[in-house]
Amino acid sequence: MTAHLGYSKGDPTLTDNQRNGFSQKTLKTQNGEQRIKIPRDRASSFDPVIVPKHQSISQELEDCIQLLYAKGISNSDIIDFIKHTYGVNYSTSQVSLITNQLLEDIKLWQHRPLEDVYPIIWIGCHSL
């Protein structure tokens, strides 16, 4: 907030925009749900960097959900895993929103150009 407003807390204000307390948010992380305080300014022009606006899940937990999905695990199994491992509850629609981010990458991979010829070596062994 100091960098955003251009003055330290307690210093005289240099602009019309001032600190305006905090808002609270629940962030879902690998350590369960964490309640955090986000600083506000009167003009609502401050954009938090560490936890961006409208984000309610840590990047590590989102990456974990996407990795599980990429490995072919169903949404209901992902929900069970996240609940039992991290103590965080998700609905199937929340998991779907996270996993749908992968759909564009999946389409690109499915439609990638393929080589005309692939070398294959077949080694067989018969036992007596």
Side-chain angles (χ1 to χ4, degrees), residues 12-110:
T13 60
L14 303 173
T15 66
D16 292 336
N17 195 8
Q18 300 176 34
R19 286 173 168 75
N20 192 24
F22 296 89
S23 60
Q24 292 194 7
K25 172 193 289 197
T26 301
L27 183 66
K28 295 177 181 183
T29 71
Q30 308 88 305
N31 300 319
E33 294 185 354
Q34 305 293 320
R35 196 84 174 138
I36 60 173
K37 291 169 45 175
I38 310 294
R40 296 185 304 205
D41 63 335
R42 292 188 186 241
S44 297
S45 60
F46 176 67
D47 287 322
V49 175
I50 297 173
V51 181
K53 287 182 179 179
H54 312 296
Q55 182 177 347
S56 62
I57 179 174
S58 70
Q59 188 61 49
E60 292 83 8
L61 197 53
E62 188 171 315
D63 291 345
C64 177
I65 290 171
Q66 289 180 342
L67 177 65
L68 292 170
Y69 180 77
K71 289 182 177 274
I73 298 176
S74 70
N75 284 3
S76 60
D77 288 341
I78 291 172
I79 291 167
D80 289 342
F81 176 80
I82 297 297
K83 181 177 181 182
H84 288 94
T85 305
Y86 300 113
V88 176
N89 293 315
Y90 279 101
S91 67
T92 52
S93 62
Q94 288 172 314
V95 171
S96 291
L97 286 173
I98 293 167
T99 57
N100 284 345
Q101 297 171 11
L102 296 174
L103 293 180
E104 186 61 34
D105 290 337
I106 291 170
K107 285 180 188 175
L108 289 172
W109 182 82
Q110 289 174 335

